[in-house]
Amino acid sequence: MKIPFSKYHGCGNDFVLVRETDVIGADASALAVAMCERHCGVGADGLIVVRTDPLEMVYYNQDGSRAPMCGNGIRCFSLFCKDEGIVEADRFDVVTLAGTKTVDALPDGRFRVDMQKPQFETALCGIEAPIWDVEVLGLRLYTLFMSTIHTVVFVEDAFMDIESIGRALCEHPLFHAQTNVNFVQIVDDETIKVQTYERGCGVTLACGTGVCASAYVAHREKGCAPSLHVLMKKGALDIQILADDTIVMQGPAKKIAKGEYYDD
């Protein structure tokens, strides 16, 4: 089976994108594992299946698990839809498991996404009691639902080696569905650095929903400005927190490759 695919990245967070019509009958979860594998597949942090009626982003982590949505992924999805002529308007809605997101294609080639408001219900976060300014493994944790489950940790060096502690926090028994862990360094009132350990993926170069969660907690708990420039290892995003707590993300997406994947 030959599967047409495209590969995109947002600030280093990379994705394989396929049209749903090209993978009819395939096990999308298994396909995600195969295509995202770095040595014998295309290689990516996740697989995005593009539905067009209605326009929907169906997202799978590289381990085959389904995720509600992905912040960097939705910008890559949006650029794919523009590149492929699926969308012609500069403002459009994208259906996700985390709700419908409104996307604006900007004149400079970037995309602005209304990420809506953070939520704090324990059921959404996969926890039994609030984890907000709670010490776990010697670190203060802040957990919320920002289109998916996120935990924020403030550190002196966000770009340190987070593999071990990230996994330990992600898989901690407190989090029944695991959690994405964001290590945040405050540079100044308007700038932060973020590195994320993602459930179902591990350490990634960028995480859009994690950046949104990190900016919100930095603003609420550390007095940072409501408009933040967020630095990651391979790029940056601009996050704006509105008066009603709505979070708006603005950033790039880039096409890397296009080809055919041979599914045995």
Side-chain angles (χ1 to χ4, degrees):
M1 180 181 181
K2 295 180 182 179
I3 301 174
F5 76 90
S6 295
K7 184 174 178 180
Y8 287 69
H9 85 85
C11 299
N13 199 188
D14 57 342
F15 310 95
V16 174
L17 292 98
V18 297
R19 290 178 181 248
E20 184 181 47
T21 51
D22 289 327
V23 294
I24 292 174
D27 180 337
S29 177
L31 190 62
V33 174
M35 293 189 77
C36 292
E37 210 279 326
R38 296 285 179 184
H39 300 286
C40 301
V42 178
D45 292 326
L47 172 70
I48 298 173
V49 179
V50 180
R51 288 181 180 162
T52 57
D53 189 21
L55 189 64
E56 181 177 357
M57 182 180 82
V58 182
Y59 183 70
Y60 292 87
N61 293 310
Q62 66 175 207
D63 69 349
S65 60
R66 183 80 189 273
M69 70 92 63
C70 174
N72 290 316
I74 197 170
R75 299 195 316 278
C76 292
F77 172 95
S78 299
L79 181 56
F80 175 88
C81 289
K82 297 288 281 187
D83 287 344
E84 297 291 317
I86 298 170
V87 169
E88 295 183 358
D90 287 335
R91 168 169 281 201
F92 50 94
D93 291 335
V94 179
V95 176
T96 78
L97 285 182
T100 299
K101 311 296 184 184
T102 299
V103 178
D104 289 292
L106 303 177
D108 64 3
R110 295 186 299 167
F111 290 89
R112 181 170 56 225
V113 185
D114 180 351
M115 298 293 287
Q116 303 169 332
K117 299 178 184 180
Q119 297 171 274
F120 305 93
E121 291 87 345
T122 53
L124 280 175
C125 296
I127 53 181
E128 293 182 358
I131 298 177
W132 195 267
D133 200 10
V134 173
E135 184 172 321
V136 178
L137 301 181
L139 297 167
R140 308 300 297 186
L141 307 188
Y142 303 83
T143 295
L144 64 159
F145 188 88
M146 187 68 240
S147 295
T148 188
I149 304 167
H150 279 286
T151 295
V152 173
V153 182
F154 291 97
V155 294
E156 291 186 1
D157 179 10
F159 293 168
M160 65 182 180
D161 181 359
I162 64 169
E163 179 76 38
S164 177
I165 187 61
R167 180 185 297 110
L169 290 172
C170 171
E171 299 176 356
H172 196 281
L174 283 171
F175 302 102
H176 303 313
Q178 299 190 350
T179 186
N180 298 287
V181 188
N182 305 279
F183 295 83
V184 182
Q185 174 187 347
I186 297 175
V187 178
D188 56 43
D189 289 348
E190 297 180 342
T191 311
I192 61 175
K193 293 181 179 180
V194 177
Q195 186 179 191
T196 303
Y197 184 98
E198 295 191 47
R199 60 176 182 167
C201 190
V203 180
T204 57
L205 291 172
C207 176
T209 54
V211 161
C212 292
S214 299
Y216 177 81
V217 179
H219 171 60
R220 173 171 163 175
E221 295 296 320
K222 301 298 182 180
C224 289
S227 294
L228 283 172
H229 188 60
V230 185
L231 304 172
M232 293 156 289
K233 285 189 172 182
K234 292 289 185 179
L237 295 174
D238 291 303
I239 306 298
Q240 185 178 11
I241 303 164
L242 306 183
D244 66 351
D245 279 351
T246 294
I247 296 177
V248 179
M249 173 187 65
Q250 188 168 297
K254 181 177 176 58
K255 186 175 183 177
I256 304 171
K258 186 172 183 175
E260 289 183 331
Y261 173 76
Y262 294 84
D263 185 32
D264 296 333

